[in-house]
Each structure stands twice: as C-alpha cells, then as structure tokens.
Amino acid sequence: MKQKTTTDLLHKNYINELKKEKRWVRFYQLLIFFLFFGLWEMAGQREWIDPLLFSAPSKIWELFVTKMNDGTLISHIGTTLFETILGFILGTLLGTILAAILWWSNRISKILDPYLVILNAMPKVALGPILIVALGPGFVSIIAMGTIISVIITTIVVYTSFKEVDANYLKVLKTFDATKWQLFKEAVLPASYPTIVSSLKVNVGLSWVGVIVGEFLVSARGLGYLIIYGFQVFNFTLVLLSLLIIAFFATIMYQVVELLEKRVVKSEKRG
C-alpha cells in the first residue's frame, strides 16, 4: 500500500514537471513573438529601418482591417486556401498510391527507382511554365504545381516505410495463406500510418510553396497574386501582410496535422 502511494506520488511529480516544462516553452514562444513584433514596430516608428521597405506591424494591421472591411482580402485568402488544401490532399494521395504500386511490384520498383531519384532532385518550381502551357493559365495549373511539388517526396518516404515493415511478421501471415492484398491491408498499410501522417507535415509547407509560386506565374487572385501585385506597385505593406497571412494559415494546417499524428500514435499504442 505504501509502495503504491510512493509510486503515485512520483507519477504525480513527473506529470507536474511535464506541465511546468510545457508552460515555460509556451512562455518563451510568446516572449519571442511579442519581442519580434515589438522591436519591429519600434524600429519602423523610429526609422531605424526603412519604413517604406519593411513597413511596421501597426501599418500592416491597418491594411488588414481595411481589406477585411471591403471584402477583398477574404476572396484572395479563400482562393489560395482552396488551391493549397486541394494540392496538399492530391499530393499525399497520389504519393501514397504510387508508393503502394512500387511495393506491389518489384519490377516496377526497380524500373522507376532511378527516375524517382532524378525527379526528386529536379527543382519542381521550374516546371511551372510547362504546366501553364500544358494545362492552361488557370487554377488547374496552380493546383498541379501544389500537387507535383509534394508527390515525389511523399512517394519516396511512404515507399521506404512500406519496405521497412517487419519481414518476419509478413512471413507469419504468409504461412496462414494471406494474399498480397491482405498483407498490404492488414500489415503494411497500418504499420505505415505514422510515416504517412509525418509526411503530411512536410507536405503542408511544400503545398503552400507550390501554390504561391503558381499564383506568381499565372493567377489574378490569391495571396501569391497579392505579393506580386504589391511588389509591382511598391506596396511592401501588402507584401508583408500576405506573407503573415500565409504563415498564419500554414501554422494552423501544421497544428491540425500534429493533432492527427497524436491520434494515430495513440491508436497505434492501443492496437
């Protein structure tokens, strides 16, 4: 009984230490955030930096309120979010399907292996003009950019995870006459869920890059278009506002993926 009480006390202390550490981390994160914007505002107001080039948080906030009130910013944010989420989903799905095909057929895997390495090394952004000519100067080209930039890396990461599933476990299943589809469905795919979710984290950033570059090249709407437009008319407050909005929504997407990852890991532990 006494031993149980001591164990409970140690566990309680451990949990308290974890909570304390989490609070400190959150405190320093907020401190960096407010210090960064406070120093930026002060430097802009006192003209330690060029206010025309680097603007100031207060000016960016004023522009944000103005554009929200006239409704123009919402439509640009909506356009970019739609393209990014679609590119993100398509990139992850196609990458996982390609990885499954490579795992399914050793021959296809051997044939495509060098091409995957070449495609991964190639700067996908350079494909932008070709996509625009092939698919037309519209949102299809932009979504294709958001997709193509993440599909190869997803394929490589997920395929590697498929190959690393315990061979002995697969042999045991084969002794019970499991078909290849059953091996994939019951063992390989579930074991790779954590890797697939982790690849989503990488794809969040890549999808935003692909879509913004696509909007640079072709779009008349979206946050990428606002960045280019702000640069052309020398309105760097607009450029910085667009960049901060991109950072905000990319962070939200990343947090959603982290929540999904925690659920998958918990589910794996229960399993």
Side-chain angles (χ1 to χ4, degrees), residues 46-104:
R46 300 191 179 186
E47 298 191 1
W48 295 342
I49 55 176
D50 187 343
L52 182 66
L53 194 60
F54 296 104
S55 191
S58 57
K59 289 182 182 174
I60 294 171
W61 177 253
E62 284 171 18
L63 183 63
F64 173 75
V65 172
T66 305
K67 288 203 162 288
M68 285 299 283
N69 286 336
D70 66 22
T72 52
L73 192 57
I74 289 289
S75 65
H76 286 292
I77 292 173
T79 302
T80 303
L81 266 181
F82 171 73
E83 291 164 348
T84 305
I85 290 171
L86 203 54
F88 170 75
I89 293 170
L90 285 175
T92 307
L93 271 179
L94 287 175
T96 307
I97 291 169
L98 277 172
I101 292 169
L102 294 176
W103 176 84
W104 196 275

Side-chain angles (χ1 to χ4, degrees), residues 12-77:
K12 193 178 174 182
N13 287 337
Y14 173 70
I15 297 294
N16 285 337
E17 281 297 316
L18 283 181
K19 285 181 180 175
K20 192 177 172 186
E21 177 65 18
K22 197 174 178 181
R23 281 197 295 269
W24 274 113
V25 169
R26 190 68 68 195
F27 169 75
Y28 282 117
Q29 284 174 340
L30 289 171
L31 184 67
I32 291 169
F33 179 84
F34 286 113
L35 270 178
F36 173 75
F37 281 99
L39 285 172
W40 184 7
E41 179 66 26
M42 191 187 294
Q45 294 289 344
R46 300 191 179 186
E47 298 191 1
W48 295 342
I49 55 176
D50 187 343
L52 182 66
L53 194 60
F54 296 104
S55 191
S58 57
K59 289 182 182 174
I60 294 171
W61 177 253
E62 284 171 18
L63 183 63
F64 173 75
V65 172
T66 305
K67 288 203 162 288
M68 285 299 283
N69 286 336
D70 66 22
T72 52
L73 192 57
I74 289 289
S75 65
H76 286 292
I77 292 173

Side-chain angles (χ1 to χ4, degrees), residues 43-269:
Q45 294 289 344
R46 300 191 179 186
E47 298 191 1
W48 295 342
I49 55 176
D50 187 343
L52 182 66
L53 194 60
F54 296 104
S55 191
S58 57
K59 289 182 182 174
I60 294 171
W61 177 253
E62 284 171 18
L63 183 63
F64 173 75
V65 172
T66 305
K67 288 203 162 288
M68 285 299 283
N69 286 336
D70 66 22
T72 52
L73 192 57
I74 289 289
S75 65
H76 286 292
I77 292 173
T79 302
T80 303
L81 266 181
F82 171 73
E83 291 164 348
T84 305
I85 290 171
L86 203 54
F88 170 75
I89 293 170
L90 285 175
T92 307
L93 271 179
L94 287 175
T96 307
I97 291 169
L98 277 172
I101 292 169
L102 294 176
W103 176 84
W104 196 275
S105 169
N106 279 331
R107 181 175 292 170
I108 293 176
S109 164
K110 286 174 186 171
I111 292 169
L112 294 184
D113 189 59
Y115 293 103
L116 283 175
V117 174
I118 292 167
L119 286 171
N120 189 42
M122 186 181 289
K124 286 83 180 174
V125 173
L127 297 173
I130 299 171
L131 287 174
I132 291 164
V133 172
L135 302 174
F139 83 99
V140 177
S141 301
I142 297 168
I143 291 168
M145 272 296 295
T147 303
I148 207 168
I149 206 166
S150 60
V151 71
I152 300 299
I153 190 69
T154 305
T155 305
I156 292 171
V157 170
V158 177
Y159 174 55
T160 304
S161 171
F162 285 170
K163 285 198 301 182
E164 286 176 353
V165 173
D166 191 350
N168 290 325
Y169 179 44
L170 296 179
K171 280 179 188 171
V172 170
L173 290 177
K174 283 178 185 174
T175 59
F176 288 100
D177 293 329
T179 62
K180 198 156 190 176
W181 167 245
Q182 286 171 324
L183 289 178
F184 180 76
K185 187 184 164 191
E186 303 296 335
V188 175
L189 188 60
S192 304
Y193 282 155
T195 304
I196 293 171
V197 176
S198 293
S199 71
L200 293 178
K201 285 184 176 177
V202 180
N203 289 350
V204 168
L206 291 176
S207 302
W208 276 98
V209 170
V211 166
I212 295 299
V213 169
E215 288 181 350
F216 280 175
L217 294 172
V218 71
S219 182
R221 301 188 65 77
L223 295 170
Y225 163 75
L226 285 184
I227 291 171
I228 285 293
Y229 176 74
F231 173 70
Q232 287 169 344
V233 298
F234 225 64
N235 183 353
F236 287 100
T237 303
L238 181 61
V239 174
L240 290 166
L241 171 64
S242 305
L243 287 173
L244 289 176
I245 291 171
I246 290 168
F248 175 74
F249 282 104
T251 306
I252 288 178
M253 277 181 72
Y254 191 86
Q255 293 296 326
V256 170
V257 172
E258 267 206 334
L259 280 176
L260 183 65
E261 186 179 34
K262 281 177 187 171
R263 288 200 168 196
V264 170
V265 170
K266 273 186 185 175
S267 151
E268 285 287 310
K269 284 179 180 174

